[in-house]
Amino acid sequence: MMGGDGCGPGAGLRYEARRVADFLVEAASDGIIVLTGAGISTASGIPDFRSPGSGLWERIDPMEAMSLASFERDPAAFYRLALASWLPPLLGAQPNAAHLALARLEVAGLIRGVITQNIDGLHQAAGSRAVLEIHGNVQHVECRRCGYRGEAPPLGTERETELPPLCPLCHAPLKPGIVLFGEQMPPAFYEALALAQECAAMIVIGSSLQVAPAAYLPELARRLVVNNLQPTPFDTVAELVVPLPAQELWPEVVAELAERGLVSQ
Ligand SMILES: [Zn+2]
């Protein structure tokens, strides 16, 4: 199975990277879209809140911490709870090797872009340009009263007295630019559906594909690759299933493609 690579450490990784590289080369001309979830950002220090044992939602009810109803009821309390739970790991997080590798694949013309369930903005920080954030991102805020959208002001516990941030135009509380429970999906989600239909292939990275409506996207793909540590409902229909950490697999894929002269060194 390992070909001529031997069986030392990294041999399995190189073998899988080569298979993924082959897929990219073969499918690129028909269009490849990448769908990412929490698993691509865990190496950037952002816990996958949904994975067993991460603990967050065992202590706090997500429907309370991330719902439109709780934001509208008491925006200051919403921000205090956010700062006590899901928000801090997202502030100041840096892209990891997987994000950087995807940016290089886009520049090389091997992938059309990235659809992400993540709200951390790390794909853009890594240099990806075609990014559809179907759950929004925390770098932005929006006003539900007048429609203002802007960059999120700095948030921190020392600024609690200034919570919630207020709209510069109409002084209503500013909502984080993410899709809360109870909100409609943003236009980016419908753009993602259209793009997924346009592309012949989809590569899923770091998503368990269990959260609707994002989980509908792989159903649109004619060819599918899944890179996730845990099994997903789509593994049986995927052409390739690679249960390796994204931050290890994707730099190796890029290195393999660079050796073939398909990605700039
Ligand atoms: Zn406003």
Side-chain angles (χ1 to χ4, degrees):
M1 180 178 164
M2 299 302 171
D5 285 339
C7 294
L13 174 62
R14 280 198 297 278
Y15 171 79
E16 297 290 358
R18 200 166 295 159
R19 292 207 304 166
V20 174
D22 288 343
F23 179 88
L24 280 160
V25 172
E26 194 194 311
S29 59
D30 296 324
I32 302 173
I33 186 72
V34 173
L35 171 65
T36 65
I40 197 172
S41 291
T42 48
S44 293
I46 301 169
D48 178 356
F49 300 130
R50 289 192 166 84
S51 59
S54 79
L56 180 66
W57 298 142
E58 287 152 31
R59 291 180 288 119
I60 293 166
D61 177 6
M63 297 302 283
E64 181 61 26
M66 299 185 92
S67 79
L68 182 62
S70 84
F71 172 78
E72 290 192 322
R73 191 168 55 242
D74 186 344
F78 173 92
Y79 275 97
R80 282 195 299 272
L81 186 56
L83 286 167
S85 57
W86 58 270
L87 189 51
L90 295 163
L91 304 173
Q94 298 295 316
N96 65 58
H99 297 104
L100 295 166
L102 292 180
R104 293 181 66 188
L105 294 179
E106 183 189 352
V107 170
L110 290 164
I111 61 171
R112 292 272 300 274
V114 177
I115 299 169
T116 187
Q117 298 172 266
N118 298 337
I119 57 173
D120 52 38
L122 293 182
H123 286 297
Q124 293 94 327
S128 285
R129 284 167 298 182
V131 182
L132 290 171
E133 296 174 304
I134 61 178
H135 293 154
N137 75 50
V138 291
Q139 280 80 31
H140 290 94
V141 285
E142 59 197 39
C143 176
R144 288 178 57 79
R145 187 193 288 166
C146 75
Y148 166 84
R149 282 181 60 83
E151 220 172 285
L155 292 170
T157 44
E158 74 280 3
R159 299 174 72 95
E160 261 187 21
T161 50
E162 296 170 36
L163 295 176
L166 299 177
C167 176
L169 301 181
C170 77
H171 304 288
L174 286 169
K175 189 185 81 66
I178 62 173
V179 179
L180 300 174
F181 291 108
E183 277 194 290
Q184 290 188 336
M185 294 302 281
F189 177 68
Y190 299 95
E191 290 172 46
L193 285 176
L195 188 55
Q197 264 161 337
E198 241 173 68
C199 290
M202 177 178 286
I203 299 177
V204 176
I205 305 174
S207 174
S208 53
L209 300 175
Q210 280 164 359
V211 183
Y216 300 141
L217 290 165
E219 294 191 11
L220 303 172
R222 276 166 279 160
R223 303 181 66 184
L224 189 64
V225 171
V226 176
N227 166 216
N228 193 55
L229 291 178
Q230 289 85 29
T232 81
F234 288 88
D235 288 3
T236 49
V237 295
E239 244 172 274
L240 282 175
V241 177
V242 187
L244 290 170
Q247 72 275 12
E248 291 176 21
L249 176 67
W250 290 94
E252 195 67 23
V253 171
V254 165
E256 171 70 25
L257 291 163
E259 264 177 42
R260 302 184 196 180
L262 297 169
V263 173
S264 57
Q265 293 280 356

